[in-house]
């Protein structure tokens, strides 16, 4: 008997977090803090359990994918808009990742936000985000996809600006909102192109007819020059992914989004929302495979993001911003995989990255709690003996991130590098550039990752430089701009803000975080180590763990790749002989030795010779490079002074035009003209009979003069 996915189960997956969000958001004062986190955690836990059950049905019981419309949203002419679900293995994998990470973040939030007056509001937002993300990944049509796309953007805006009394938070959420509007405009144009040429927004119909509808069809965007329709649609769709998944040049919003509380950095900006663009392109693989130009564009953007944003992470001192730039770089790796048609490797790295990057963000939050809301790594050091659980889980996350063989990050990241290598062998300069970008990125990733680890957990205990008044040795306040604030803008400190004697004198002594913080770290560390071992064979190569017993491809029916672009088949044929041999091969690969080089250099500079960074910083070439990196290549200036500044200038010109031309000339000017003529006419209406007789005589004389002149 064939197993079928239950419609009611899928509806419950989506609605359970929504009900929790409604309870916490609308009735938060009545149910209190405990009621708010209980309702939302229960809702997400139900969603997670049902998502795991759905994935098990698809993988373990051979259930057929689900694709059905549940509700007709509206009907205009011959077009109908539906709310429906398409749930295959790609969707189910995303459902499990989203709900599992969200569940752990909800638990973590109990400890991290325990003093914040916006406690219930925060739980409502993160549960609402989970609902929005599930609507995005489970949709079976472009319109519902766009709804989820915009919904996660809205909740992200609310969460980045959660501490809304802080100007920096408001600036950050506006920046995120505006930059994403640029990407979403392109995304909307791509959806419009799909509707124009397919007369439907249903995934299954579009994908089934793509190869017969789009090839050879052109469109004139500018007169006299024809563009390939498939290329135009795919690039427009990818522009949306560039905004949501923070690809150059639409990446500038993500580092500033660290202004929000740390739990949302893990939930939104590491594991789920920023990967929506990667998921979308993988879902649209039947369209992207029709345009080699679009794939080259995707590859170039991804390679640029992977390498150059990683370089910025080297000079960051805020612990969360280092992890943020690491996220940008890893999103670039995923995009490179998409550009070389290794869609399965992209979404596989999406999955593994969700675990270890959420781990690193939450570990950074644990450090911030232990350091009493200090985020500057230069004021840390030696924390491993005070925060052992945070240290060991951070080490696991770091080893996974740099691609250490046998850890989950290795299997996904190394596969992307190998895919880029095979693609470069038969490609042009873009393919070569993509390979070298991800290869050299291994060195950069390793260097800034171990720099963070050493500055935070090793070396001198620099937090002891603080005096009894909370100022450091240079007289600066020990709490930076990122200190927690309540809804009224006041500092919020936790119960451990005093020293061990409870008198509030002397330097703050770091402490391990409570169990609601450390438990999610441990639960994320486990898949960061083991998930690759058990899943790389089935998910990427259609084999069991040993590399034998061929199975059906995991993403069969969800991802389509043309035979000419199938680099994953090449990797399987030449390199895949099981997870052990694949990892052993990794020890001989250039990426491993480059990562080891980054580790060795970071160890020398920040562990054995901590005076070296200052010496390098004084050397002119390094000083210039640091200035460029600290200035983020001028991209912020371009956006703020160029795009945003241009918008402000256009607004000022429009206002001046309104004041001078519209109000001054047209409205007020016409009124003055009417008033002038009315004044003149008023003078002719004197009321005296002889004035009217005189005017009549003058008129008669003028009439006779004209008549005589023209009569002749």
């Amino acid at each position: 008997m064939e197993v079928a996915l239950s419609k009611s189960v899928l509806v419950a997956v989506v609605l359970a977090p929504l009900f929790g969000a409604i309870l916490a958001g609308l009735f938060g004062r009545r149910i209190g803090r405990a009621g708010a986190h209980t309702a939302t955690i229960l809702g997400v836990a139900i969603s997670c359990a049902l998502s795991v059950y759905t994935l098990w049905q698809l993988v373990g019981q051979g259930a057929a994918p689900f694709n059905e419309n549940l509700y007709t949203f509206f009907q205009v002419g011959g077009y109908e808009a539906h709310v429906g679900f398409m749930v295959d293995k790609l969707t189910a994998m995303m459902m499990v990742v989203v709900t599992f990470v969200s569940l752990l973040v909800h638990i973590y939030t109990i400890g991290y936000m325990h003093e914040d007056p916006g406690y219930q509001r925060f739980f409502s937002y993160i549960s609402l985000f989970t609902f929005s993300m599930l609507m995005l990944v489970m949709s079976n049509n472009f319109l519902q996809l766009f709804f989820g796309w915009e919904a996660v953007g809205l909740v992200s805006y609310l969460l980045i600006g959660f501490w809304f009394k802080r100007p920096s938070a408001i600036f950050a959420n506006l920046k995120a909102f505006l930059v994403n509007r640029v990407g979403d405009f392109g995304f909307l144009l791509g959806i419009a192109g799909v509707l124009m040429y397919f007369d439907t927004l249903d995934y299954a119909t579009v994908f089934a007819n793509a190869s017969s509808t789009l090839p050879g069809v052109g469109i004139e965007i500018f007169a006299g020059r024809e563009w390939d329709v498939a290329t135009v649609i795919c690039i427009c769709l990818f522009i949306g992914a560039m905004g949501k998944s923070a690809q150059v040049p639409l990446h500038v919003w993500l580092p500033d989004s660290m202004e929000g509380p740390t739990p949302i950095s893990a939930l939104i900006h590491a594991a789920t929302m920023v990967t929506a663009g990667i998921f979308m392109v993988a879902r649209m693989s039947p369209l992207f495979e029709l345009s080699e130009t679009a794939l080259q564009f995707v590859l170039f953007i991804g390679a640029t993001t992977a390498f150059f944003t990683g370089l910025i992470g080297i000079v960051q001192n805020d612990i969360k911003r280092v992890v943020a730039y690491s996220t940008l770089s890893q999103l670039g790796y995923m995009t490179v995989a998409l550009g070389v048609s290794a869609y399965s490797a992209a979404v596989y790295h999406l999955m593994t990255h969700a675990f270890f990057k959420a781990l690193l963000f939450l570990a950074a939050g644990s450090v911030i709690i232990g350091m009493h809301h200090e985020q500057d790594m230069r004021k840390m050091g030696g924390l491993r003996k005070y925060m052992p659980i945070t240290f060991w889980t951070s080490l696991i996350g770091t080893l996974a991130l740099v691609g250490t063989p046998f850890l989950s990050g290795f299997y996904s990241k190394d596969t992307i590098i190998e895919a880029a290598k095979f693609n470069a062998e038969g490609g042009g300069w873009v393919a070569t550039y993509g390979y070298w970008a991800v290869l050299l990125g291994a060195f950069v990733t390793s260097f800034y990752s171990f720099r963070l680890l050493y500055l935070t957990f090793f070396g001198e205990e620099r937090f002891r430089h603080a005096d009894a008044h909370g100022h450091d040795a240079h007289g600066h306040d020990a709490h930076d701009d990122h200190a927690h604030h309540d809804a009224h803008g006041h500092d919020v400190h936790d119960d451990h803000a005093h020293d061990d004697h409870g008198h509030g004198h002397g330097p703050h002594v770091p402490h391990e975080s409570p169990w609601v913080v450390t438990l999610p770290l441990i639960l994320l560390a486990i898949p960061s180590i083991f998930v690759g071992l058990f899943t790389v064979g089935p998910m990427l190569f259609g084999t069991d763990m040993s590399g034998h017993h061929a199975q059906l491809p995991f993403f069969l029916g969800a991802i389509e790749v043309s035979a000419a672009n199938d680099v994953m088949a090449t990797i399987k044929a030449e390199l895949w002989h099981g997870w052990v041999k694949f990892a052993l091969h990794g020890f001989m690969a250039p990426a491993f030795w480059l990562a080891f080089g980054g580790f060795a250099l970071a160890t020398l500079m920040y562990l054995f010779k901590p005076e070296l960074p200052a010496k390098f910083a004084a050397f002119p070439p390094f000083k210039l490079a640091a200035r460029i990196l600290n200035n983020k290549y001028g991209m912020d200036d371009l956006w703020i002074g160029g795009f945003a500044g241009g918008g402000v200038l256009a607004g000022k010109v429009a206002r001046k035009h309104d004041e001078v031309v519209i109000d001054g000339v047209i409205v007020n000017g016409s009124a003055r003209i009417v008033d002038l003529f009315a004044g003149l006419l008023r003078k002719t209406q004197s009321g005296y009979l002889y004035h009217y007789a005189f005017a009549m005589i003058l008129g008669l004389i003028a009439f006779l003069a004209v008549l005589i002149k023209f009569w002749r």
Side-chain angles (χ1 to χ4, degrees):
M1 180 178 178
E2 185 175 317
V3 178
L5 298 182
S6 169
K7 184 192 302 183
S8 58
V9 167
L10 298 178
V11 171
V13 168
V14 172
L15 294 185
L18 178 62
F19 288 151
I22 292 172
L23 285 173
L26 299 183
F27 306 100
R29 289 187 178 181
R30 293 186 180 181
I31 63 178
R33 290 178 169 235
H37 70 234
T38 300
T40 52
I41 290 174
L42 182 61
V44 175
I46 292 171
S47 183
C48 182
L50 294 178
S51 296
V52 172
Y53 174 67
T54 300
L55 180 61
W56 176 73
Q57 283 187 300
L58 288 167
V59 176
Q61 294 189 310
F66 180 93
N67 183 16
E68 187 175 329
N69 293 325
L70 307 180
Y71 174 75
T72 301
F73 188 48
F74 64 80
Q75 183 174 357
V76 177
Y79 174 72
E80 292 184 351
H82 301 283
V83 175
F85 296 147
M86 174 186 278
V87 180
D88 49 25
K89 291 178 182 177
L90 173 61
T91 303
M93 183 270 290
M94 286 293 296
M95 289 162 58
V96 171
V97 170
V98 169
T99 54
F100 178 71
V101 174
S102 178
L103 177 59
L104 296 184
V105 168
H106 275 69
I107 297 170
Y108 177 95
T109 299
I110 297 174
Y112 193 87
M113 301 290 288
H114 73 281
E115 282 193 343
D116 199 284
Y119 189 86
Q120 293 97 314
R121 176 166 58 95
F122 189 82
F123 272 98
S124 176
Y125 285 170
I126 59 175
S127 192
L128 182 62
F129 170 82
T130 307
F131 158 75
S132 303
M133 192 69 194
L134 288 169
M135 286 292 286
L136 187 158
V137 300
M138 294 173 67
S139 62
N140 71 345
N141 63 84
F142 285 87
L143 187 65
Q144 186 177 331
L145 171 71
F146 190 71
F147 164 78
W149 196 268
E150 293 302 305
V152 294
L154 171 64
V155 182
S156 174
Y157 168 83
L158 295 172
L159 285 166
I160 295 170
F162 182 77
W163 289 313
F164 53 84
K165 292 293 184 179
R166 295 168 56 183
S168 57
I170 297 303
F171 173 81
N173 74 351
L174 284 174
K175 187 177 184 181
F177 192 80
L178 291 174
V179 172
N180 274 278
R181 294 291 70 72
V182 177
D184 292 352
F185 179 68
F187 189 51
L188 197 57
L189 289 177
I191 294 175
V194 170
L195 181 61
M196 178 178 176
Y197 285 92
F198 291 93
D199 201 31
T200 182
L201 293 178
D202 179 71
Y203 284 168
T205 306
V206 171
F207 298 157
N209 296 317
S211 59
S212 61
T213 302
L214 294 183
V217 179
I219 182 174
E220 282 195 14
I221 299 176
F222 304 104
R225 182 173 178 82
E226 191 172 74
W227 296 66
D228 180 62
V229 167
T231 299
V232 171
I233 289 176
C234 290
I235 289 179
C236 285
L237 291 173
F238 180 67
I239 289 173
M242 287 170 63
K244 198 66 70 185
S245 292
Q247 298 295 291
V248 173
L250 303 182
H251 69 287
V252 294
W253 66 271
L254 193 142
D256 287 319
S257 71
M258 298 302 107
E259 289 293 332
T262 298
I264 66 110
S265 300
L267 178 62
I268 294 181
H269 307 124
T272 52
M273 189 189 87
V274 291
T275 59
I278 308 299
F279 166 80
M280 184 272 292
V281 176
R283 174 61 81 194
M284 304 303 155
S285 58
L287 300 179
F288 278 84
E289 284 299 290
L290 299 176
S291 173
E292 191 63 31
T293 303
L295 290 174
Q296 293 284 296
F297 179 72
V298 172
L299 174 58
F300 178 80
I301 294 295
T304 303
T305 305
F307 182 69
F308 288 100
T309 60
L311 287 175
I312 303 176
I314 293 174
V315 300
Q316 298 299 307
N317 295 310
D318 183 311
I319 187 171
K320 284 176 63 177
R321 285 181 180 266
V322 177
V323 186
Y325 280 105
S326 170
T327 300
L328 284 174
S329 181
Q330 296 307 303
L331 288 167
Y333 274 82
M334 299 176 207
T335 305
V336 166
L338 297 172
V340 300
S341 294
Y343 304 100
S344 58
V347 295
Y348 187 65
H349 193 48
L350 182 161
M351 179 189 74
T352 61
H353 176 265
F355 297 123
F356 60 75
K357 187 52 64 68
L359 168 60
L360 288 171
F361 264 118
L362 295 185
S366 179
V367 169
I368 293 168
I369 295 172
M371 286 296 297
H372 311 282
H373 308 301
E374 178 61 71
Q375 295 185 203
D376 193 332
M377 296 185 298
R378 295 169 296 184
K379 300 177 183 178
M380 298 179 187
L383 297 184
R384 70 184 188 279
K385 71 177 181 181
Y386 300 100
M387 310 182 70
I389 298 176
T390 302
F391 164 66
W392 285 108
T393 52
S394 295
L395 178 61
I396 291 169
T398 298
L399 292 174
L401 172 62
V402 302
T404 306
F406 293 103
L407 270 69
S408 61
F410 162 77
Y411 291 103
S412 56
K413 188 175 179 180
D414 202 68
T415 301
I416 292 175
I417 295 174
E418 293 293 346
K421 175 186 175 182
F422 285 120
N423 182 71
E425 291 176 356
W429 70 269
V430 175
T432 303
Y433 169 67
Y435 170 61
W436 282 102
V438 293
L439 186 61
L440 295 176
F443 173 86
V444 176
T445 302
S446 181
F447 180 78
Y448 66 64
S449 297
F450 283 101
R451 173 180 177 265
L452 182 151
L453 202 69
Y454 292 140
L455 284 176
T456 305
F457 295 103
F458 290 83
E460 180 188 4
E461 296 178 356
R462 294 178 296 277
F463 57 84
R464 294 193 179 277
H465 293 170
D467 63 20
H469 300 288
H471 298 283
D472 65 17
H474 305 285
H476 301 296
D477 190 78
H479 301 282
D480 67 2
D481 293 337
H482 305 283
H484 286 255
H485 289 58
D486 63 16
H488 305 289
H490 301 116
D491 286 349
V492 174
H493 306 292
D494 64 14
D495 295 334
H496 305 279
H498 302 288
D499 66 6
D500 290 344
H501 302 288
H503 302 299
H505 301 296
H508 292 314
V509 177
H511 56 85
E512 186 59 275
S513 300
W515 73 268
V516 288
V517 171
T518 55
L519 177 62
L521 298 183
I522 296 169
L523 293 177
L524 285 167
I526 294 170
S528 296
I529 299 173
F530 297 111
V531 74
L533 308 180
F534 297 103
T535 60
V536 60
M539 290 186 70
L540 289 187
F541 303 109
T543 68
D544 61 12
M545 291 173 58
S546 65
H548 304 296
H549 308 299
Q551 305 169 352
L552 288 176
F554 187 84
F555 296 111
L556 181 66
I559 291 174
E560 294 184 18
V561 184
S562 64
N565 295 340
D566 197 356
V567 291
M568 294 302 295
T570 306
I571 295 174
K572 180 180 179 180
E574 298 193 16
L575 298 177
W576 178 249
H577 304 289
W579 63 272
V580 175
K581 291 182 179 180
F582 194 72
L584 293 175
H585 171 269
F587 282 111
M588 298 180 289
F592 172 78
W593 291 105
L594 282 168
F596 183 81
F599 157 74
L601 183 60
T603 304
L604 176 67
M605 292 180 63
Y606 294 98
L607 189 60
F608 296 129
K609 298 285 185 180
E611 69 277 5
L612 280 180
K615 292 181 179 179
F616 277 120
F619 191 52
F622 289 107
K623 192 174 183 178
L624 176 62
R627 183 181 301 173
I628 293 172
L629 293 176
N630 276 310
N631 196 38
K632 306 163 191 172
Y633 309 112
M635 294 300 294
D636 275 350
D637 296 332
L638 178 64
W639 276 96
I640 296 170
F643 178 74
V648 172
L649 179 62
K652 290 180 178 178
V653 170
R655 184 178 67 179
K656 187 60 68 175
H657 177 268
D658 183 71
E659 292 175 352
V660 175
V661 179
I662 303 299
D663 288 342
V665 176
I666 298 178
V667 178
N668 297 332
S670 60
R672 290 191 188 98
I673 292 172
V674 171
D675 185 62
L676 175 63
F677 278 100
L680 293 174
L681 289 173
R682 193 182 303 116
K683 293 182 182 302
T684 64
Q685 304 299 319
S686 63
Y688 295 110
L689 187 59
Y690 58 84
H691 284 170
Y692 299 147
F694 181 68
M696 292 173 64
I697 293 171
L698 290 178
L700 181 60
I701 293 172
F703 173 73
L704 291 173
V706 171
L707 186 63
I708 292 170
K709 179 176 180 60
F710 287 100
W711 183 265
R712 294 178 179 178

